[in-house]
């Protein structure tokens, strides 16, 4: 049985989508980051960087959503191809999300929604970088149905950020990115994704 520690944020939805897609047995442990529960000592033992998500499976505990998705993919042999070329294709898009889209959109959201005062340079910098990255994704999705070949952990990592970004968080107009918008609609209809978001909403 897998124990999942998360909250209803883009990074939290990634493993939740995976376990629902792969029908993995899991127990959910909500960590309300709005109440600073990520700083509780018991959670820091699992996730020393005080961030969700985290996973515990018997003797192994893992933090960082990319590492968690890779672990789940390896354990279930799903959503990550074994062929070298396809494997690294998925991996590069997963890394692109973890190292690029996530942090840039996160900073964009911070300066747009949470900064104590507007800082025009920061706002412009992270807004521009978010849209540069969305342009990169759009080009890729003009060529492929899913981000990296078949539906994979790369899609599971990117989708929740686009869902949040096109909602209240950043109000990104997806019609400017038509291939991305179609991909979003395709993924949003998946039963496991619908279920993950309904579980998240109930936390
Ligand atoms: N690189 C990390 C980022 C995780 C992350 O930023 N989690 C946020 C929620 S989406 C969090 O737990 N924030 C709480 C905090 O920073 O104290 C990952 O991909 O897992």
């Amino acid at each position: 049985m897998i124990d999942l520690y998360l909250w209803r944020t883009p990074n939290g939805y990634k493993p939740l989508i995976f376990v629902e897609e792969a029908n993995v047995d899991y127990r959910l442990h909500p960590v309300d980051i709005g109440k600073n529960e990520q700083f509780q000592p018991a959670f820091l033992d699992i996730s020393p960087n005080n961030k969700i998500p985290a996973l515990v499976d018997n003797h192994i505990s893992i933090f960082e959503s990319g590492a968690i998705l890779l672990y789940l993919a390896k354990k279930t042999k799903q959503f990550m191809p074994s062929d070298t070329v396809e494997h690294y294709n998925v991996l590069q898009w997963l890394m692109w999300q973890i190292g690029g889209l996530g942090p840039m959109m996160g900073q964009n959201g911070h300066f747009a929604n949470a900064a104590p005062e507007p800082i025009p340079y920061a706002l412009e910098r992270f807004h521009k970088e978010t849209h540069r990255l969305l342009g990169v994704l759009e080009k890729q999705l003009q060529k492929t149905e899913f981000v990296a070949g078949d539906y994979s952990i790369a899609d599971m990592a990117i989708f929740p950020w686009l869902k949040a970004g096109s909602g209240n968080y950043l109000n990104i107009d997806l019609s400017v990115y038509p291939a991305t918008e179609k991909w979003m609609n395709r993924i949003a209809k998946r039963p496991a994704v619908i279920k993950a978001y309904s579980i998240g909403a109930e936390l």
Side-chain angles (χ1 to χ4, degrees):
M1 173 75 80
I2 281 180
D3 288 289
L4 268 187
Y5 297 78
L6 52 82
W7 193 240
R8 49 168 181 266
T9 68
N11 290 315
Y13 277 115
K14 297 173 190 175
L16 192 52
I17 290 173
F18 190 109
V19 291
E20 287 299 331
E21 290 281 9
N23 281 320
V24 174
D25 274 340
Y26 69 97
R27 271 186 300 248
L28 198 54
H29 305 266
V31 180
D32 185 344
I33 61 172
K35 292 187 182 150
N36 283 334
E37 289 177 1
Q38 72 275 29
F39 294 103
Q40 286 179 0
F43 181 66
L44 290 173
D45 284 346
I46 306 167
S47 185
N49 195 34
N50 64 265
K51 290 187 192 290
I52 61 95
L55 170 152
V56 177
D57 186 14
N58 292 315
H59 56 286
I60 185 168
S61 85
I62 309 174
F63 63 97
E64 282 294 323
S65 61
I68 292 169
L69 288 173
L70 286 165
Y71 176 80
L72 289 168
K74 185 169 184 187
K75 185 178 171 88
T76 62
K77 299 187 177 61
Q78 290 189 67
F79 304 114
M80 180 56 153
S82 52
D83 167 83
T84 303
V85 173
E86 292 172 9
H87 181 89
Y88 282 94
N89 189 26
V90 172
L91 200 52
Q92 67 189 354
W93 283 103
L94 178 66
M95 299 287 174
W96 175 87
Q97 189 287 311
I98 305 280
L101 187 73
M104 292 305 123
M105 283 183 77
Q107 294 302 322
N108 193 357
H110 174 81
F111 285 105
N113 300 315
E117 70 210 42
I119 302 172
Y121 178 76
L123 275 166
E124 193 197 326
R125 159 97 185 134
F126 292 114
H127 175 85
K128 253 169 114 172
E129 188 59 7
T130 296
H131 285 273
R132 185 190 68 75
L133 289 159
L134 292 178
V136 172
L137 180 65
E138 173 69 12
K139 265 199 193 143
Q140 175 68 3
L141 287 168
Q142 283 166 359
K143 295 184 284 184
T144 57
E145 191 180 356
F146 294 106
V147 173
D150 291 337
Y151 181 60
S152 73
I153 54 174
D155 299 281
M156 293 179 204
I158 298 168
F159 173 84
W161 277 96
L162 267 284
K163 185 165 162 65
S166 56
N168 289 343
Y169 189 55
L170 289 173
N171 294 312
I172 291 168
D173 177 7
L174 278 183
S175 66
V176 177
Y177 304 102
T180 305
E181 188 172 39
K182 277 193 198 135
W183 166 83
M184 285 291 290
N185 292 337
R186 211 172 293 137
I187 294 185
K189 285 192 196 121
R190 295 179 70 89
V193 173
I194 294 170
K195 179 135 182 247
Y197 275 86
S198 84
I199 291 169
E202 280 166 25
L203 288 183

